[in-house]
Amino acid sequence: MKLWGGRFTGEADAEFARFNASFAFDRRLLAADIEGSIAQAEALINVGILSADEAHKIIAALQEILRRAREDQAYLDSRESEDVHSFVEAELVALTGDVGYKLHTGRSRNDQVATDLRLFLRAEIDRTLPLIIAMQGALVALAEANFDCILPGYTHLQRAQPILLAHYLLAYFEMMKRDAMRLAEIRRRVNQLPLGAGALAGTGFAIDRQLIAERLGFAGLAENSLDAVSDRDFVIEFIGAAAIIMVHLSRLAEDLILYATTEFAFIELSDAVSTGSSLMPQKKNPDSLELIRGKAGRVFGHHAAMLATMKGLPLAYNKDMQEDKEALFDTLDTLRGCLQVMTTVLGNLRVNGERTRAAASVGYLNATDLADYLVRKGLEFRRAHEVVGRVVRQAIQQGRALEELPLEDYQQFSPLFSGDLFAALQLETSLANKPALGSTAPARVREALAKAKSELTMPTNLPEEA
Ligand code: ARG
């Protein structure tokens, strides 16, 4: 029996029926739908709609449906269904007889699908967090393995100041840390129960929603029935958080693509994550990273799509909201794929420390250290900046590095210069002279790395219980 046939005399247009159906994709909610339905069956005992026997019969049948679906993909296509909810009800009735028709008492597909989606997303967040942590682990491992590696830090993509590669990698660790925190926070808002809101006004039965919430591991209730069925903030928020993760992955991808060019040659990507050219035999292309960068756009698109879908909707449920699923599913698949591939890229990366060191040595990246040197000799920073600017200009004219100018030349610019300036110009000194917390001094980076490592196993990094 159709879920809504009684009022109709005409048949749905075949083209429209296909257009309306969501089973092709919302079958992904099957396990959640069954979990929610089991809780619904239990709740119906307490209000006298189901006897304990009937409820147990229904629950056993629901479990059987899930078992069959897991065993045999073709099972889901064994009957034409509008959506996952109608499939489950039809199969339930096939297994239990008419008692199965009682399960939907006091429930609407509106509170049902909202519940399914929240159960589903909660589990998916729990599967995604470990992938973020795995990628953080890969960043930490790469930083440890190349702790002494110095490379140019850039602003405006112009060589700026020398930094440790480990420091650079830990910048991405921080971004991922915020990403994990953001997901954990969103999870708290996902973890609210809509079931019992009915179609929009609440159910006609005194269902104990608190009990259902506890049974399903929800931390609380969606407290207004209209909001419960029409809210998709949690989908928008999640896709938004995924979009920010994709921004981070894409920026890292962009850096690594650049660093893998012959022009930079700071790193070499493993063959395992590269491809060749069908025409140019010498090519080794960073397709893995380009795809990560490219797929960011796709997740941004889902975010914009969901905002646009929701913005004009009158309360409460509208079928427009069925569009939430493909956006969410594709976001999850894309995000997880990118996290996994990036982890593999990082795990197989070779760093050319000689190249990066050479690059950090050319281009006056130690000019700021020279200005700091004059400040330590008592000059105001702005004046020191001016003096060093003039030194740099002369060095450029002569085609020399700062450490190649003779002391006599320096002393024409300022009497504060003496022989110890050359030590200040060395790469190692430049790094060591950044002692504040959060800086690239090796001592600071070592501490940061140890902290990062300990955070990999911290419980705050993991999803909260239930
Ligand atoms: N497939 C629908 C969706 O995803 C389920 C809810 C249908 N509700 C309704 N009133 N037609 O949104």
PDB file of all heavy atoms in Angstrom, residues 308-332:
ATOM      1  N   ALA A 308      20.767  28.426  -0.346  1.00  0.00           N
ATOM      2  CA  ALA A 308      19.768  28.904  -1.302  1.00  0.00           C
ATOM      3  C   ALA A 308      18.485  28.090  -1.213  1.00  0.00           C
ATOM      4  O   ALA A 308      17.383  28.625  -1.317  1.00  0.00           O
ATOM      5  CB  ALA A 308      20.341  28.853  -2.718  1.00  0.00           C
ATOM      6  N   THR A 309      18.622  26.781  -1.004  1.00  0.00           N
ATOM      7  CA  THR A 309      17.447  25.917  -0.903  1.00  0.00           C
ATOM      8  C   THR A 309      16.590  26.316   0.292  1.00  0.00           C
ATOM      9  O   THR A 309      15.364  26.328   0.216  1.00  0.00           O
ATOM     10  CB  THR A 309      17.879  24.440  -0.764  1.00  0.00           C
ATOM     11  OG1 THR A 309      18.644  24.094  -1.912  1.00  0.00           O
ATOM     12  CG2 THR A 309      16.682  23.524  -0.649  1.00  0.00           C
ATOM     13  N   MET A 310      17.201  26.653   1.381  1.00  0.00           N
ATOM     14  CA  MET A 310      16.458  26.901   2.617  1.00  0.00           C
ATOM     15  C   MET A 310      15.912  28.326   2.724  1.00  0.00           C
ATOM     16  O   MET A 310      14.940  28.568   3.452  1.00  0.00           O
ATOM     17  CB  MET A 310      17.352  26.625   3.841  1.00  0.00           C
ATOM     18  CG  MET A 310      17.788  25.175   3.991  1.00  0.00           C
ATOM     19  SD  MET A 310      16.425  23.987   4.025  1.00  0.00           S
ATOM     20  CE  MET A 310      15.619  24.431   5.558  1.00  0.00           C
ATOM     21  N   LYS A 311      16.527  29.263   2.020  1.00  0.00           N
ATOM     22  CA  LYS A 311      16.264  30.662   2.377  1.00  0.00           C
ATOM     23  C   LYS A 311      14.831  31.114   2.173  1.00  0.00           C
ATOM     24  O   LYS A 311      14.346  31.971   2.900  1.00  0.00           O
ATOM     25  CB  LYS A 311      17.234  31.617   1.657  1.00  0.00           C
ATOM     26  CG  LYS A 311      16.832  32.026   0.267  1.00  0.00           C
ATOM     27  CD  LYS A 311      17.745  33.119  -0.265  1.00  0.00           C
ATOM     28  CE  LYS A 311      17.238  34.517   0.020  1.00  0.00           C
ATOM     29  NZ  LYS A 311      16.051  34.857  -0.763  1.00  0.00           N
ATOM     30  N   GLY A 312      14.122  30.560   1.223  1.00  0.00           N
ATOM     31  CA  GLY A 312      12.772  31.071   0.973  1.00  0.00           C
ATOM     32  C   GLY A 312      11.672  30.159   1.489  1.00  0.00           C
ATOM     33  O   GLY A 312      10.510  30.353   1.147  1.00  0.00           O
ATOM     34  N   LEU A 313      12.020  29.150   2.278  1.00  0.00           N
ATOM     35  CA  LEU A 313      11.013  28.149   2.623  1.00  0.00           C
ATOM     36  C   LEU A 313      10.106  28.607   3.764  1.00  0.00           C
ATOM     37  O   LEU A 313      10.581  28.946   4.847  1.00  0.00           O
ATOM     38  CB  LEU A 313      11.683  26.829   3.030  1.00  0.00           C
ATOM     39  CG  LEU A 313      12.500  26.124   1.953  1.00  0.00           C
ATOM     40  CD1 LEU A 313      12.911  24.739   2.427  1.00  0.00           C
ATOM     41  CD2 LEU A 313      11.711  26.018   0.654  1.00  0.00           C
ATOM     42  N   PRO A 314       8.800  28.590   3.511  1.00  0.00           N
ATOM     43  CA  PRO A 314       7.868  28.873   4.604  1.00  0.00           C
ATOM     44  C   PRO A 314       7.899  27.706   5.589  1.00  0.00           C
ATOM     45  O   PRO A 314       8.192  26.581   5.203  1.00  0.00           O
ATOM     46  CB  PRO A 314       6.516  28.960   3.891  1.00  0.00           C
ATOM     47  CG  PRO A 314       6.676  28.103   2.674  1.00  0.00           C
ATOM     48  CD  PRO A 314       8.116  28.219   2.257  1.00  0.00           C
ATOM     49  N   LEU A 315       7.579  27.967   6.836  1.00  0.00           N
ATOM     50  CA  LEU A 315       7.496  26.856   7.790  1.00  0.00           C
ATOM     51  C   LEU A 315       6.311  25.980   7.423  1.00  0.00           C
ATOM     52  O   LEU A 315       5.315  26.486   6.953  1.00  0.00           O
ATOM     53  CB  LEU A 315       7.298  27.381   9.219  1.00  0.00           C
ATOM     54  CG  LEU A 315       8.514  28.029   9.900  1.00  0.00           C
ATOM     55  CD1 LEU A 315       8.185  28.256  11.386  1.00  0.00           C
ATOM     56  CD2 LEU A 315       9.775  27.209   9.765  1.00  0.00           C
ATOM     57  N   ALA A 316       6.317  24.689   7.615  1.00  0.00           N
ATOM     58  CA  ALA A 316       7.428  23.965   8.215  1.00  0.00           C
ATOM     59  C   ALA A 316       8.130  23.147   7.116  1.00  0.00           C
ATOM     60  O   ALA A 316       8.897  23.702   6.351  1.00  0.00           O
ATOM     61  CB  ALA A 316       6.927  23.074   9.336  1.00  0.00           C
ATOM     62  N   TYR A 317       7.815  21.847   7.003  1.00  0.00           N
ATOM     63  CA  TYR A 317       8.488  21.034   5.991  1.00  0.00           C
ATOM     64  C   TYR A 317       8.056  21.416   4.586  1.00  0.00           C
ATOM     65  O   TYR A 317       6.884  21.719   4.325  1.00  0.00           O
ATOM     66  CB  TYR A 317       8.191  19.541   6.222  1.00  0.00           C
ATOM     67  CG  TYR A 317       8.807  18.655   5.154  1.00  0.00           C
ATOM     68  CD1 TYR A 317      10.134  18.259   5.246  1.00  0.00           C
ATOM     69  CD2 TYR A 317       8.080  18.264   4.029  1.00  0.00           C
ATOM     70  CE1 TYR A 317      10.721  17.490   4.250  1.00  0.00           C
ATOM     71  CE2 TYR A 317       8.658  17.496   3.033  1.00  0.00           C
ATOM     72  CZ  TYR A 317       9.976  17.109   3.146  1.00  0.00           C
ATOM     73  OH  TYR A 317      10.550  16.347   2.165  1.00  0.00           O
ATOM     74  N   ASN A 318       8.967  21.400   3.665  1.00  0.00           N
ATOM     75  CA  ASN A 318       8.688  21.527   2.232  1.00  0.00           C
ATOM     76  C   ASN A 318       9.562  20.521   1.507  1.00  0.00           C
ATOM     77  O   ASN A 318      10.671  20.229   1.949  1.00  0.00           O
ATOM     78  CB  ASN A 318       9.045  22.930   1.720  1.00  0.00           C
ATOM     79  CG  ASN A 318       8.246  24.023   2.410  1.00  0.00           C
ATOM     80  OD1 ASN A 318       7.192  24.421   1.963  1.00  0.00           O
ATOM     81  ND2 ASN A 318       8.757  24.503   3.537  1.00  0.00           N
ATOM     82  N   LYS A 319       9.064  20.037   0.379  1.00  0.00           N
ATOM     83  CA  LYS A 319       9.794  18.973  -0.315  1.00  0.00           C
ATOM     84  C   LYS A 319      11.139  19.444  -0.836  1.00  0.00           C
ATOM     85  O   LYS A 319      12.034  18.644  -1.100  1.00  0.00           O
ATOM     86  CB  LYS A 319       8.926  18.409  -1.456  1.00  0.00           C
ATOM     87  CG  LYS A 319       9.444  17.106  -2.064  1.00  0.00           C
ATOM     88  CD  LYS A 319       9.480  15.963  -1.051  1.00  0.00           C
ATOM     89  CE  LYS A 319       9.735  14.622  -1.696  1.00  0.00           C
ATOM     90  NZ  LYS A 319       8.493  13.856  -1.953  1.00  0.00           N
ATOM     91  N   ASP A 320      11.298  20.760  -0.970  1.00  0.00           N
ATOM     92  CA  ASP A 320      12.615  21.291  -1.358  1.00  0.00           C
ATOM     93  C   ASP A 320      13.724  20.662  -0.510  1.00  0.00           C
ATOM     94  O   ASP A 320      14.846  20.471  -0.954  1.00  0.00           O
ATOM     95  CB  ASP A 320      12.700  22.807  -1.127  1.00  0.00           C
ATOM     96  CG  ASP A 320      11.497  23.581  -1.622  1.00  0.00           C
ATOM     97  OD1 ASP A 320      10.355  23.150  -1.357  1.00  0.00           O
ATOM     98  OD2 ASP A 320      11.712  24.641  -2.251  1.00  0.00           O
ATOM     99  N   MET A 321      13.345  20.382   0.736  1.00  0.00           N
ATOM    100  CA  MET A 321      14.357  19.934   1.701  1.00  0.00           C
ATOM    101  C   MET A 321      14.914  18.551   1.384  1.00  0.00           C
ATOM    102  O   MET A 321      15.955  18.162   1.912  1.00  0.00           O
ATOM    103  CB  MET A 321      13.771  19.978   3.120  1.00  0.00           C
ATOM    104  CG  MET A 321      13.575  21.424   3.583  1.00  0.00           C
ATOM    105  SD  MET A 321      12.341  21.612   4.870  1.00  0.00           S
ATOM    106  CE  MET A 321      13.164  20.814   6.210  1.00  0.00           C
ATOM    107  N   GLN A 322      14.237  17.829   0.518  1.00  0.00           N
ATOM    108  CA  GLN A 322      14.773  16.538   0.085  1.00  0.00           C
ATOM    109  C   GLN A 322      16.131  16.730  -0.607  1.00  0.00           C
ATOM    110  O   GLN A 322      16.929  15.793  -0.682  1.00  0.00           O
ATOM    111  CB  GLN A 322      13.773  15.870  -0.864  1.00  0.00           C
ATOM    112  CG  GLN A 322      14.218  14.525  -1.392  1.00  0.00           C
ATOM    113  CD  GLN A 322      13.074  13.742  -2.003  1.00  0.00           C
ATOM    114  OE1 GLN A 322      12.229  13.226  -1.296  1.00  0.00           O
ATOM    115  NE2 GLN A 322      13.019  13.690  -3.322  1.00  0.00           N
ATOM    116  N   GLU A 323      16.360  17.930  -1.118  1.00  0.00           N
ATOM    117  CA  GLU A 323      17.634  18.228  -1.788  1.00  0.00           C
ATOM    118  C   GLU A 323      18.820  18.221  -0.820  1.00  0.00           C
ATOM    119  O   GLU A 323      19.974  18.298  -1.245  1.00  0.00           O
ATOM    120  CB  GLU A 323      17.554  19.600  -2.487  1.00  0.00           C
ATOM    121  CG  GLU A 323      16.591  19.639  -3.666  1.00  0.00           C
ATOM    122  CD  GLU A 323      17.074  18.793  -4.836  1.00  0.00           C
ATOM    123  OE1 GLU A 323      18.243  18.877  -5.197  1.00  0.00           O
ATOM    124  OE2 GLU A 323      16.247  18.012  -5.369  1.00  0.00           O
ATOM    125  N   ASP A 324      18.542  18.201   0.476  1.00  0.00           N
ATOM    126  CA  ASP A 324      19.653  18.229   1.447  1.00  0.00           C
ATOM    127  C   ASP A 324      20.542  16.984   1.360  1.00  0.00           C
ATOM    128  O   ASP A 324      21.727  17.048   1.636  1.00  0.00           O
ATOM    129  CB  ASP A 324      19.114  18.394   2.890  1.00  0.00           C
ATOM    130  CG  ASP A 324      18.164  17.272   3.326  1.00  0.00           C
ATOM    131  OD1 ASP A 324      17.960  16.300   2.569  1.00  0.00           O
ATOM    132  OD2 ASP A 324      17.615  17.374   4.440  1.00  0.00           O
ATOM    133  N   LYS A 325      19.934  15.865   0.943  1.00  0.00           N
ATOM    134  CA  LYS A 325      20.657  14.596   1.086  1.00  0.00           C
ATOM    135  C   LYS A 325      21.843  14.458   0.151  1.00  0.00           C
ATOM    136  O   LYS A 325      22.964  14.138   0.586  1.00  0.00           O
ATOM    137  CB  LYS A 325      19.699  13.432   0.900  1.00  0.00           C
ATOM    138  CG  LYS A 325      18.858  13.241   2.137  1.00  0.00           C
ATOM    139  CD  LYS A 325      17.656  12.397   1.913  1.00  0.00           C
ATOM    140  CE  LYS A 325      16.565  12.842   2.858  1.00  0.00           C
ATOM    141  NZ  LYS A 325      16.058  14.226   2.563  1.00  0.00           N
ATOM    142  N   GLU A 326      21.613  14.706  -1.133  1.00  0.00           N
ATOM    143  CA  GLU A 326      22.730  14.526  -2.060  1.00  0.00           C
ATOM    144  C   GLU A 326      23.863  15.494  -1.764  1.00  0.00           C
ATOM    145  O   GLU A 326      25.040  15.154  -1.897  1.00  0.00           O
ATOM    146  CB  GLU A 326      22.242  14.657  -3.504  1.00  0.00           C
ATOM    147  CG  GLU A 326      21.460  13.425  -3.929  1.00  0.00           C
ATOM    148  CD  GLU A 326      20.600  13.680  -5.140  1.00  0.00           C
ATOM    149  OE1 GLU A 326      19.654  14.487  -5.021  1.00  0.00           O
ATOM    150  OE2 GLU A 326      20.880  13.101  -6.198  1.00  0.00           O
ATOM    151  N   ALA A 327      23.483  16.713  -1.336  1.00  0.00           N
ATOM    152  CA  ALA A 327      24.520  17.697  -0.980  1.00  0.00           C
ATOM    153  C   ALA A 327      25.348  17.182   0.197  1.00  0.00           C
ATOM    154  O   ALA A 327      26.575  17.241   0.191  1.00  0.00           O
ATOM    155  CB  ALA A 327      23.869  19.035  -0.632  1.00  0.00           C
ATOM    156  N   LEU A 328      24.643  16.661   1.190  1.00  0.00           N
ATOM    157  CA  LEU A 328      25.341  16.167   2.383  1.00  0.00           C
ATOM    158  C   LEU A 328      26.178  14.927   2.066  1.00  0.00           C
ATOM    159  O   LEU A 328      27.349  14.837   2.460  1.00  0.00           O
ATOM    160  CB  LEU A 328      24.322  15.850   3.485  1.00  0.00           C
ATOM    161  CG  LEU A 328      24.909  15.310   4.785  1.00  0.00           C
ATOM    162  CD1 LEU A 328      25.847  16.333   5.428  1.00  0.00           C
ATOM    163  CD2 LEU A 328      23.798  14.930   5.774  1.00  0.00           C
ATOM    164  N   PHE A 329      25.577  13.996   1.340  1.00  0.00           N
ATOM    165  CA  PHE A 329      26.295  12.741   1.048  1.00  0.00           C
ATOM    166  C   PHE A 329      27.555  13.030   0.238  1.00  0.00           C
ATOM    167  O   PHE A 329      28.634  12.499   0.519  1.00  0.00           O
ATOM    168  CB  PHE A 329      25.404  11.764   0.262  1.00  0.00           C
ATOM    169  CG  PHE A 329      24.177  11.298   1.016  1.00  0.00           C
ATOM    170  CD1 PHE A 329      23.088  10.752   0.334  1.00  0.00           C
ATOM    171  CD2 PHE A 329      24.108  11.396   2.398  1.00  0.00           C
ATOM    172  CE1 PHE A 329      21.956  10.319   1.009  1.00  0.00           C
ATOM    173  CE2 PHE A 329      22.979  10.960   3.086  1.00  0.00           C
ATOM    174  CZ  PHE A 329      21.901  10.426   2.389  1.00  0.00           C
ATOM    175  N   ASP A 330      27.406  13.869  -0.777  1.00  0.00           N
ATOM    176  CA  ASP A 330      28.568  14.135  -1.627  1.00  0.00           C
ATOM    177  C   ASP A 330      29.643  14.910  -0.862  1.00  0.00           C
ATOM    178  O   ASP A 330      30.832  14.700  -1.074  1.00  0.00           O
ATOM    179  CB  ASP A 330      28.159  14.902  -2.896  1.00  0.00           C
ATOM    180  CG  ASP A 330      29.319  15.009  -3.867  1.00  0.00           C
ATOM    181  OD1 ASP A 330      29.741  13.964  -4.400  1.00  0.00           O
ATOM    182  OD2 ASP A 330      29.856  16.122  -4.050  1.00  0.00           O
ATOM    183  N   THR A 331      29.191  15.794   0.040  1.00  0.00           N
ATOM    184  CA  THR A 331      30.167  16.503   0.868  1.00  0.00           C
ATOM    185  C   THR A 331      30.963  15.514   1.707  1.00  0.00           C
ATOM    186  O   THR A 331      32.197  15.593   1.772  1.00  0.00           O
ATOM    187  CB  THR A 331      29.438  17.506   1.798  1.00  0.00           C
ATOM    188  OG1 THR A 331      28.802  18.494   0.988  1.00  0.00           O
ATOM    189  CG2 THR A 331      30.412  18.182   2.745  1.00  0.00           C
ATOM    190  N   LEU A 332      30.277  14.575   2.315  1.00  0.00           N
ATOM    191  CA  LEU A 332      30.953  13.594   3.164  1.00  0.00           C
ATOM    192  C   LEU A 332      31.943  12.753   2.358  1.00  0.00           C
ATOM    193  O   LEU A 332      33.090  12.554   2.773  1.00  0.00           O
ATOM    194  CB  LEU A 332      29.916  12.673   3.821  1.00  0.00           C
ATOM    195  CG  LEU A 332      29.196  13.284   5.023  1.00  0.00           C
ATOM    196  CD1 LEU A 332      27.923  12.515   5.332  1.00  0.00           C
ATOM    197  CD2 LEU A 332      30.112  13.309   6.243  1.00  0.00           C
TER     198      LEU A 332
END
